Amino acid sequence: MKKKLITLLAVAAMLTSSIAVFAEATPAPTNEPITDENINVPAQPDTDFEDQIQGDIMLISNNPDVSAPVFVPSYISNTVTVTDITDEMIATTLNTEDAENLENTINYVVSDKTIVLGFANGDVKKIEDIKKGDKITVYTNSYSPAPLILPPQYNADVIFVEDNLELDSIRSVDVDTYIADNEMLVNAANTLALNIDETTEIVDKEGKKVEAKDLDKKDLVVIYSISTRSIPAQTTPIKVVVLGENEVALANIEAAKNEPAATPAPTETPEVNYETVKSVSVNGNEITNVYTKNNTLMVPLRAITETLGFTVEWDGETKSIVLNGGIYSLKIGENAYIKGRMMPITLASEPELKEDDLTYVPVEFFSEVLEDNSIVLNY
């Protein structure tokens, strides 16, 4: 984790209505059915907090002719490991291998208002169920005040506890303010649209049933497994927990509708010269056995994916590899990288098994298939 993390955390703590996220203009969501051609089975979330905060303050539109709408997520989140827990505070670290480093530490204040759920199915849990060493994802209201202290300290509004590894790998979650739009519910971040049907379990914080018609303009906890590849992604959630109305978030959403849209300057994607790359770094670990092919950088698959927390299984008979129990798969010599039930993704090169008995894949595999951007190129 880079040293500027603490600064970014402080920025997150002071998110107010003046902060805006600019994204590419997108069409209104439709009731597009979820089919084999457009679904996306998400990997187990591992939110990079620094990337999220940077996304909250960056202009990311590349089209100078399109005015970008304003999207402000109502919650910020991070996936951390518990290092200590009391009745009032959960101490966590972003890096278990360097847990004593204050730059990796986030303290979360818990109260009787904190909601604790199981990641797999949203089962209601208690603070007492969280143990030292547990991996949790914590959501904090973006508009809640936070003291400017080190290590940073935030309120824990919603905590997800990893409780079923088999199901966790095919689950994704979101906590945000949702607004009705074209018979769907779209979150404030404009990243997820909900298509509620009779299979969706909808309850309030006490577990009482809630009608779908009462979800508009409410903060919702959403648990889902598959989504379309549209913008925003569409899903039929497994479970929805209604947190209530967020007056500050609603006021900012309404104000954003009346603000003049910004027109960011166009940017150019720099051309990468992979021939001069000497190594790559992942979470501080340097990997030197890299090479170039077909104008791309080939990197060792297992060394990087296991560093990122993925499980890797090799089938010697078929010369194929599966990650996270089958969510992702690839085969030596075939340029077809499979993610869930999506159509195979083609990259600059097929996977290769080299003389060192290691499988190599294009470096783009991690950003385009695994949707991870933590690899650093060393020249």
Side-chain angles (χ1 to χ4, degrees):
M1 183 56 61
K2 301 177 181 178
K3 292 186 177 179
K4 59 182 178 181
L5 174 62
I6 297 301
T7 302
L8 292 169
L9 292 171
V11 172
M14 297 183 288
L15 282 173
T16 63
S17 61
S18 62
I19 298 178
V21 183
F22 295 87
E24 293 183 6
T26 58
T30 63
N31 288 314
E32 175 188 356
I34 298 177
T35 67
D36 287 348
E37 285 74 26
N38 64 11
I39 62 173
N40 170 26
V41 181
Q44 182 174 345
D46 187 12
T47 304
D48 188 318
F49 187 78
E50 179 177 342
D51 286 347
Q52 178 178 350
I53 300 306
Q54 287 177 331
D56 286 347
I57 59 177
M58 287 180 61
L59 302 180
I60 57 174
S61 172
N62 290 327
N63 189 343
D65 298 322
V66 176
S67 295
V70 177
F71 302 115
V72 183
S74 298
Y75 289 79
I76 56 176
S77 69
N78 203 18
T79 299
V80 291
T81 301
V82 177
T83 57
D84 195 16
I85 183 168
T86 66
D87 292 338
E88 300 178 349
M89 186 83 69
I90 300 178
T92 70
T93 181
L94 294 159
N95 185 350
T96 55
E97 296 181 357
D98 193 18
E100 299 300 321
N101 190 338
L102 289 182
E103 291 190 358
N104 296 323
T105 300
I106 303 176
N107 291 329
Y108 289 100
V109 178
V110 296
S111 67
D112 54 2
K113 296 181 179 180
T114 300
I115 298 174
V116 183
L117 301 171
F119 190 81
N121 293 309
D123 300 329
V124 177
K125 298 181 180 294
K126 299 179 180 178
I127 298 294
E128 293 78 14
D129 295 327
I130 302 175
K131 308 299 181 184
K132 183 176 180 180
D134 283 352
K135 193 173 184 179
I136 61 176
T137 298
V138 187
Y139 282 82
T140 297
N141 192 319
S142 300
Y143 303 101
S144 297
L148 297 178
I149 59 175
L150 293 178
Q153 178 177 299
Y154 302 102
N155 293 329
D157 294 310
V158 181
I159 301 176
F160 282 98
V161 183
E162 295 190 4
D163 58 345
N164 185 326
L165 294 179
E166 182 177 353
L167 288 178
D168 286 349
S169 63
I170 56 174
R171 292 289 189 262
S172 209
V173 297
D174 183 54
V175 182
D176 207 345
T177 304
Y178 279 79
I179 307 295
D181 186 0
N182 285 358
E183 299 183 0
M184 300 190 78
L185 292 160
V186 182
N187 65 357
N190 197 47
T191 57
L192 190 65
L194 308 183
N195 181 17
I196 305 294
D197 68 10
E198 66 277 0
T199 66
T200 303
E201 179 185 1
I202 311 174
V203 297
D204 62 14
K205 293 183 288 187
E206 285 71 42
K208 298 179 182 178
K209 185 177 180 180
V210 177
E211 298 296 327
K213 63 181 178 62
D214 297 324
L215 299 182
D216 183 29
K217 298 180 180 178
K218 298 293 194 304
D219 282 8
L220 306 179
V221 176
V222 179
I223 301 175
Y224 61 102
S225 61
I226 60 176
S227 63
T228 66
R229 300 183 66 185
S230 58
I231 301 176
Q234 299 180 23
T235 188
T236 299
I238 297 170
K239 184 172 184 176
V240 173
V241 179
V242 183
L243 301 182
E245 189 172 289
N246 188 333
E247 294 182 359
V248 178
L250 292 174
N252 279 278
I253 292 171
E254 188 62 31
K257 295 179 182 179
N258 302 319
E259 290 180 0
T263 305
T267 58
E268 295 183 0
T269 302
E271 183 177 348
V272 179
N273 182 7
Y274 290 117
E275 295 289 345
T276 60
V277 176
K278 298 179 180 178
S279 64
V280 298
S281 295
V282 184
N283 293 341
N285 299 319
E286 184 178 12
I287 298 173
T288 59
N289 48 333
V290 301
Y291 64 95
T292 56
K293 177 187 176 183
N294 297 340
N295 197 32
T296 192
L297 184 70
M298 302 293 288
V299 296
L301 176 68
R302 181 182 291 273
I304 296 178
T305 50
E306 290 186 343
T307 299
L308 295 174
F310 290 83
T311 61
V312 184
E313 299 176 36
W314 163 258
D315 187 332
E317 292 185 4
T318 62
K319 292 188 176 181
S320 59
I321 300 169
V322 297
L323 308 178
N324 278 16
I327 301 301
Y328 308 89
S329 62
L330 55 146
K331 189 173 183 180
I332 300 298
E334 294 186 5
N335 195 345
Y337 299 86
I338 299 175
K339 175 181 178 181
R341 294 168 61 192
M342 289 169 49
M343 294 294 291
I345 298 173
T346 301
L347 300 178
S349 177
E350 70 280 359
E352 289 191 341
L353 182 63
K354 303 295 285 184
E355 304 80 45
D356 54 6
D357 289 331
L358 297 179
T359 298
Y360 289 79
V361 296
V363 69
E364 291 85 1
F365 169 80
F366 299 93
S367 59
E368 297 186 21
V369 181
L370 301 188
E371 298 182 1
D372 184 279
N373 296 296
S374 59
I375 296 178
V376 177
L377 305 183
N378 302 319
Y379 294 89

